[in-house]
């Protein structure tokens, strides 16, 4: 049963399992105690820190273990902001950071701080120059992921780090998705990561803070982990995390190249096999194991459900798969289609046959979902409008959820002449993203949107072909 | 090799180990995902929550899992204080709470809040009436442990909860030391605990917040654990924590009675076997497995080291065993001797023979430490002073660490006549606690202390026998 959601959580690496078992017996005691069980625990903790620091590319005394990658980000952002309070209260983040960074930014803003979001291009990457330009007066901290968790696009971290260094602003890198593949290049100041993304156990994150970076841990603290991560150390899991990081690194070059080939196959074949698909994310500067695409006229939740029935576990940034019924902020920031969105992230060891079977199954699954939604077939240009066609049409999709507003638009675009307009009334959050994306994919003109008198928004599309 | 420090961390219960292993395979995926691995993880998480809630005595939707007991306390205190901001900013805690509670209180005070500490008696217990009286105008939250982690004394939680309820103040109970032995009685509002104290794995705490308690989680949050504990759930450890809590509860009555007998043996025999010992903590209203005593004229660190050489792992609240060189705040609040302090906390399954061997070994170890420090032998009354003895003596112990100031005092008390005084000059923090405690144990009069012109403090003792 192929599991293709390594970017959420990777199955436990055999080395992690082995190390965890061994340290359940050796590493349960308090490493702060002086008796033999405590000393043994301390040795394990020190060795794990050395190993993790080597993999990160920092000194052991710069690295602490946290209960999760999320907590590492929270502690890193709040500690760096507080440490740089005198410099100002401006926080610069990319628009496609992980939610843990954005949640930390929200807390900063709620406390009166300023947050500047650097936009991304359609591939999901920030422009290093634009990022540098955002490092305005009073910038206390900048945050940039090493690679995006939803679309796999690598960010220009080294260039941004250099720009940050030039103006004396520390850069925090969220390396959660990439650390298993290799160290983060460039002169970053803080780095956060999460063990269960590289095949380590849940319950372990890591936070590196370079010497010389002003850092003031926030909230209650204790003597553990240099005062940066309070609470009893989760030692067996920490040992397993460090051991598995070494192990995946040893395999990273070969396995990365192999998975990159499998992902290339998906990137190439999906648009050939499935009509009206947009593969998103940078095709070259990307994580080796991750690919994301969106399918027009498809309900993401149903698609995931059908793929699950076929034995494939994938995730989605479609609005209907989120509890808030809004599309992923990453897809939104990129301005790409969000409906029928599928993220495939291959765990190490994924068999090529499983990828092939996925490519076999996908077209039928998508066609089935589209069929049940009554989608107009094919991606051919719309038929010529009848001679007596009205110059404009209004489609009322108020109260209808993604992908219905776009399907309704596709159904009637052939009913207006070239030059005519279709106005879609919709209150679904995804329409704002997906109607312009549909226009880009189908070569029609997106005119704009405005508040609709009926409630919701009116999206205007002009037929151009 | 007997490990007698269960109050720091208990070795993993076999059921915890078994559950952890099983859920490493079944519970590594993201429980928020809809595919089969995610659904399986969700089922495990839900079942663990049900089991833990039943053991706590709350509803499943009132309980969240946190990365540690410390983090449960921090989240509970900050969330309850923020939720009750309108009621006021006064926080009431006992003087002998765990450091996690006191650290949270420090953060509250640093942010402008008020913190009131309720004192304890010599047994370590708060008086319920005094606690109730401290619930003054504007009290947002009260915190009381179920039982003390250093001396084992149970607190009158049910009575205090009733008093809190009477004035509409929520009570947070830190049940870290007692939850494995049974649910906390009484109408508490919030409860925190830590799995590795009951034989569960590290990396799991739990926080229960009763319905109706105003609660506003602080810091960045996400959708996990009702927004009260951000970050990917440490599911295998959570499953192991819940399973082992059920298991230790099933054994609690019988094992508690057995360990209580062993602790009674230590409580009775230590003062018979070792001269100048003070057994501290309530002899009856106490945890079944924990006993603490202090030995006059003994260096706690050396004592622990010697016991470790004999194969016994215990902890200590002596100043010389803390990184801050101050005696434990618990012993200080109780006003009992802190030098030569030993906490014995027996893990489930401790063999009676190991306790007997401890009692065999202890007298020689203590005598050895005392011998090396040149301690006056025996606890007999001091000799009569020579006829020409001065009416007062000054002992300069400035720069000398515990237990030297007390040893110097004991050496010269026989050199002044009954009615004469000895003044000890000392700058060691422990002297403030241990010189009065010595007076109480040896029937001499403690006159008081004042700043010494030489620096440090001058402690005045009058010879009465």
């Amino acid at each position: 049963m192929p599991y293709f959601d390594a970017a959420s959580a990777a199955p436990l690496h055999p080395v992690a399992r082995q190390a965890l078992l061994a340290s359940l017996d050796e590493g349960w005691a308090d490493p702060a105690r002086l008796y033999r069980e405590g000393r043994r625990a301390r040795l394990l903790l020190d060795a794990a820190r050395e190993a993790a620091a080597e993999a990160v590319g920092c000194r052991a005394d710069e690295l602490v273990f946290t209960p999760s990658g999320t907590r590492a980000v929270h502690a890193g952002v709040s500690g760096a902001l507080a440490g740089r309070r005198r410099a100002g209260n401006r926080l610069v983040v990319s628009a496609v950071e992980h939610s843990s960074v954005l949640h930390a930014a929200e807390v900063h803003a709620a406390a009166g701080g300023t947050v500047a979001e650097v936009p991304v291009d359609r591939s999901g990457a920030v422009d290093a120059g634009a990022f540098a330009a955002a490092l305005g007066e009073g910038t206390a901290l900048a945050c940039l992921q090493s690679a995006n968790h939803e679309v796999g696009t690598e960010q220009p971290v080294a260039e941004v780090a250099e720009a940050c260094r030039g103006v004396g602003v520390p850069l925090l890198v969220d390396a959660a998705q990439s650390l298993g593949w290799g160290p983060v290049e460039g002169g970053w100041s803080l780095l956060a990561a999460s063990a269960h993304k590289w095949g380590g156990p849940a319950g372990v994150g890591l936070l590196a803070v370079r010497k010389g970076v002003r850092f003031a841990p926030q909230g209650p603290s204790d003597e553990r982990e240099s005062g940066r991560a309070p609470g009893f150390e989760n030692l067996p899991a920490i040992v397993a995390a460090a051991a598995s990081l070494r192990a995946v690194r040893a395999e990273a070059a070969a396995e990365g190249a192999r998975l990159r080939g499998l992902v290339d196959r998906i990137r190439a074949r999906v648009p050939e096999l499935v009509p009206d698909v947009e593969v998103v994310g940078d095709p070259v500067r990307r994580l080796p194991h991750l690919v994301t695409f969106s399918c027009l006229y498809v309900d993401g939740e149903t698609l995931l459900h059908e793929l699950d029935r076929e034995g494939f576990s994938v995730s989605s940034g479609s609005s209907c798969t989120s509890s808030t019924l809004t599309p992923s902020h990453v897809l939104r920031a990129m301005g790409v289609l969000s409906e029928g969105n599928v993220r495939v992230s291959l765990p190490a060891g994924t068999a090529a046959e499983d990828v092939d079977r996925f490519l076999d199954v996908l077209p039928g699954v998508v066609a089935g979902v589209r069929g049940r939604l009554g989608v107009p077939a094919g991606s051919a240009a719309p038929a010529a409008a009848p001679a007596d066609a009205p110059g404009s049409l209004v489609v009322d999709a108020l109260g209808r959820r993604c992908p219905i507003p776009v399907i309704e638009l596709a159904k009637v675009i052939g009913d207006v002449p070239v030059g005519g307009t279709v106005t879609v009334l919709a209150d679904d959050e995804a329409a704002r993203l997906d109607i312009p994306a549909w226009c880009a994919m189908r070569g029609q003109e997106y005119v704009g949107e405005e508040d609709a008198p009926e409630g919701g928004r009116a999206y205007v599309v002009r037929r151009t072909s």
Side-chain angles (χ1 to χ4, degrees), chain A:
Chain A
M1 300 285 269
Y3 171 81
F4 285 175
D5 197 22
S8 284
L12 204 61
H13 191 283
V15 166
R17 191 186 170 90
Q18 209 172 1
L20 186 66
L21 290 187
S23 51
L24 285 177
D25 297 326
E26 294 287 310
W28 52 269
D30 185 346
R33 297 290 176 186
L34 302 175
Y35 43 70
R36 64 190 173 282
E37 294 88 352
R39 295 193 303 268
R40 214 149 57 195
R42 167 63 55 189
L43 286 177
L44 288 173
L45 181 57
D46 289 348
R49 198 184 312 280
E50 289 285 348
E54 197 192 325
V56 167
C58 67
R59 290 165 38 169
D61 61 355
E62 294 174 330
L63 185 144
V64 300
F65 294 105
T66 67
S68 63
T70 292
R71 303 260 183 167
V73 164
H74 293 172
V77 170
S78 63
L81 284 172
R84 295 256 305 159
R85 204 169 272 146
R86 283 188 184 177
N89 75 358
R90 181 178 166 91
L91 171 65
V92 177
V93 301
S94 90
V96 294
E97 293 300 306
H98 186 261
S99 57
S100 58
V101 173
L102 299 181
H103 291 149
E106 283 163 21
V107 167
H108 179 61
T114 304
V115 177
E117 269 193 17
V118 180
V120 295
D121 61 21
R122 252 188 103 79
S123 81
V126 297
D127 175 71
F131 202 106
L135 302 170
E137 187 67 22
T139 300
L141 176 68
C143 298
L144 181 63
Q145 63 198 187
S146 53
N148 186 268
H149 52 296
E150 287 191 35
V151 299
T153 301
E154 289 177 348
Q155 302 293 352
V157 169
E159 290 161 79
V160 167
E162 204 179 320
C164 286
R165 181 161 288 193
V167 293
V169 170
L171 176 69
L172 183 151
V173 177
D174 170 12
Q177 291 297 336
S178 77
L179 197 68
W181 298 110
V184 175
E185 304 297 332
W188 49 265
S189 299
L190 303 99
L191 183 146
S194 171
H196 76 108
K197 306 287 192 194
W198 68 63
V204 184
L206 54 85
L207 172 64
V209 182
R210 293 261 194 227
K211 288 288 158 205
V213 173
R214 287 187 188 278
F215 194 82
Q218 296 301 287
S221 69
D222 58 24
E223 293 170 8
R224 299 180 189 274
E225 295 301 293
S226 309
R228 292 175 180 173
F232 192 81
E233 289 94 347
N234 187 358
L235 190 47
I238 286 172
V239 170
S244 55
L245 181 53
R246 284 174 83 117
V248 300
R249 279 291 185 79
E251 303 153 0
E255 186 62 8
R258 197 181 69 83
L259 294 183
R260 184 172 283 273
L262 296 181
V263 165
D264 281 339
R265 195 181 305 176
I266 297 173
R267 293 187 71 94
R269 293 292 288 149
V270 164
E272 295 168 3
L273 295 167
V274 182
D276 296 320
V277 158
E278 182 171 19
V279 179
V280 301
D282 195 292
V284 179
R285 289 192 52 144
R286 61 170 175 82
L287 291 168
H289 67 303
L290 193 156
V291 54
T292 301
F293 54 86
S294 299
C295 310
L296 267 180
Y297 318 134
V298 167
D299 164 13
E301 186 169 359
T302 307
L303 180 58
L304 257 54
H305 181 68
E306 294 299 322
L307 285 170
D308 179 51
R309 280 175 50 145
E310 296 284 346
F312 293 95
S313 300
V314 298
S315 76
S316 170
S318 293
S319 59
C320 54
T321 63
S322 88
S323 59
T324 54
L325 292 178
T326 54
S328 121
H329 71 276
V330 173
L331 302 177
R332 223 158 49 208
M334 294 166 66
V336 296
L337 187 70
S338 79
E339 67 187 34
N341 180 256
V342 171
R343 177 184 71 181
V344 171
S345 52
L346 306 176
T350 296
E353 298 72 50
D354 285 337
V355 169
D356 289 338
R357 202 161 66 74
F358 177 75
L359 293 171
D360 286 346
V361 160
L362 183 70
V365 166
V366 172
V369 176
R370 285 176 175 164
R372 283 198 292 285
L373 289 167
V375 171
S379 60
D388 60 344
S392 67
L393 267 177
V394 175
V395 175
D396 183 352
L398 290 168
R400 312 293 301 275
R401 296 271 159 243
C402 158
I404 303 300
V406 174
I407 291 175
E408 294 300 316
L409 166 61
K411 276 183 184 164
V412 303
I413 192 73
D415 296 346
V416 296
V418 171
T421 62
V422 175
T423 299
V424 182
L425 307 179
D427 48 15
D428 183 39
E429 190 60 35
R432 171 167 292 166
L433 187 56
D434 290 342
I435 290 175
W438 179 91
C439 292
M441 290 173 74
R442 303 306 292 268
Q444 307 296 344
E445 183 193 348
Y446 180 64
V447 178
E449 57 167 303
E450 57 187 13
D451 278 336
E454 301 85 347
R457 304 282 288 174
Y459 300 90
V460 182
V461 174
R462 176 169 293 118
R463 180 172 177 180
T464 56
S465 64

